[in-house]
Amino acid sequence: MSAQDNSTEIETSISAAIAASADLATLEDVRVSALGKKGSISALLKTLGGMSNEERQEKGPAFNQLRDRITEQIAARKAVLESQALSAQLASEQQDMSLPVEADPLLSGRIHPVSQVMDEISAIFADMGFDVAEGPDIEDDFHNFTALNIPEVHPARQMHDTFYFHPNDEGERLLLRTHTSPVQIRTMQAGQDGAGPPFRFIAPGRTYRCDSDQTHTPMFHQVEGLVVDKTTHMGHLKWTLQAFLAAFFEVDNIAIRLRPSYFPFTEPSMEIDMQCRRDGNQLIVGEGDDWMEIGGSGMVHPKVLAHVGIDADDYQGFAFGMGIDRLAMLKYGMPDLRAFFDADLRWLKHYGFVPFDVPGLSGGLSNKALAGK
Ligand code: PHE
């Protein structure tokens, strides 16, 4: 018969303590006092060392089973306490669904007025059957000058007007295009391989001149227009400009004045003036008897047609070039050109356009209600 031990009392009191543990910290104390290095069960297990073989064979498994039972009870109690703690936390914490949502980032971005106005211009001319052509910002002398019948001695070739690159390996000096007219040449050349004339396109884009003051920036925007066909004449030019300006400024009618001028690539050449009225600082378009210059135009010079292999006996055409930035300033009342290129977010927020507010002729061109919001 083996010696008496107090393992039954120990188990009873530990089990009671486990059941009575009301929180995880208390339960942990119970675990340490039973199973920790100096715990009561650990002490019980240590007594095995002093026993006879016979006694140890009996008590060993019993004590180990006791330790396993206590370990299981603690784990079970721990699971209960943890789930109670989670429920209590869920009950005490709340999500405030009434908090305002942050504005959609898609709605806080803005389209620059120049981009918007380019889209408006393209929408109007597309409606009149024009294609939209593009050309490179970095040009060569031939496309920017020679093919446009601009002679070597023309002031536009002087360094003070044109940004030139260093000569390349072939000794050729590339340049930043000083106008969108080289796109006339490139598009007509490309057309020669395919469809050929008639041509009817616009070419909006960036242009560069070494010039900077209140009304000039080194980079600015132009839109070129070109129509070449067998019977194209100046009446077509005047109607096209007038119809475009009325659509762009969203007025019924607008008077224009074509003032004799000189461009090497057109003959005759005309400056385009648009009817306006000045009212203090304000400029009202389409009324009054003042005039505002907005671009150049003319009948395509036969030498330009010859440079792209078009027979000037069969074909003739008109061309025009207008300043996009000026058109944008006039339409949306922006007083200072330089602010266009300052990347000032406050300016952009005020004058910019909501994305996806894509200009189209059906829904009202500029959707003025949304502008500047
Ligand atoms: N390229 C001219 C300029 O920049 C404008 C223009 C274009 C004039 C087409 C006539 C015809 O000043």
Side-chain angles (χ1 to χ4, degrees), residues 110-113 347-354 370-373:
R110 286 294 180 275
I111 303 293
H112 196 285
W347 185 88
L348 204 56
K349 187 140 188 84
H350 185 77
Y351 287 112
F353 291 81
V354 177
L370 282 171
K373 287 267 164 62

Side-chain angles (χ1 to χ4, degrees), residues 189-196:
Q189 279 177 328
Q192 285 309 302
D193 306 334

Side-chain angles (χ1 to χ4, degrees), residues 124-291:
I124 295 167
F125 278 107
D127 194 55
M128 294 198 236
F130 283 64
D131 292 332
V132 177
E134 284 187 315
D137 287 19
I138 297 175
E139 265 299 359
D140 54 36
D141 196 85
F142 176 77
H143 291 94
N144 197 75
F145 295 128
T146 309
L148 289 162
N149 192 36
I150 301 181
E152 284 299 337
V153 293
H154 196 278
R157 286 208 185 189
Q158 303 294 304
M159 290 298 288
H160 70 265
D161 250 341
T162 309
F163 287 112
Y164 283 99
F165 289 84
H166 292 306
N168 60 18
D169 291 345
E170 287 89 54
E172 187 192 15
R173 276 190 318 168
L174 294 176
L175 51 91
L176 291 175
R177 66 180 180 192
T178 56
H179 50 178
T180 41
S181 300
V183 188
Q184 288 186 24
I185 304 300
R186 288 188 179 274
T187 310
M188 285 195 283
Q189 279 177 328
Q192 285 309 302
D193 306 334
F199 290 108
R200 185 161 51 193
F201 60 84
I202 59 162
R206 289 184 173 145
T207 47
Y208 307 83
R209 284 181 206 173
C210 192
D211 202 353
S212 185
D213 60 35
Q214 200 167 357
T215 51
H216 297 90
T217 48
M219 190 277 289
F220 56 105
H221 300 85
Q222 285 191 338
V223 57
E224 193 80 10
L226 182 84
V227 173
V228 170
D229 205 342
K230 292 199 162 152
T231 57
T232 308
H233 57 69
M234 264 175 64
H236 295 144
L237 168 63
K238 189 171 184 194
W239 180 87
T240 302
L241 290 172
Q242 219 159 352
F244 161 70
L245 289 169
F248 179 75
F249 287 105
E250 299 173 65
V251 295
D252 289 339
N253 229 320
I254 196 164
I256 64 165
R257 187 171 74 171
L258 295 176
R259 192 160 33 85
S261 184
Y262 171 75
F263 299 105
F265 35 92
T266 45
E267 181 59 35
S269 301
M270 290 88 60
E271 224 75 69
I272 310 161
D273 291 344
M274 173 176 81
Q275 179 194 17
C276 67
R277 179 164 66 81
R278 285 183 174 80
D279 186 0
N281 273 345
Q282 253 201 312
L283 195 122
I284 294 120
V285 167
E287 14 178 300
D289 44 20
D290 232 342
W291 300 99

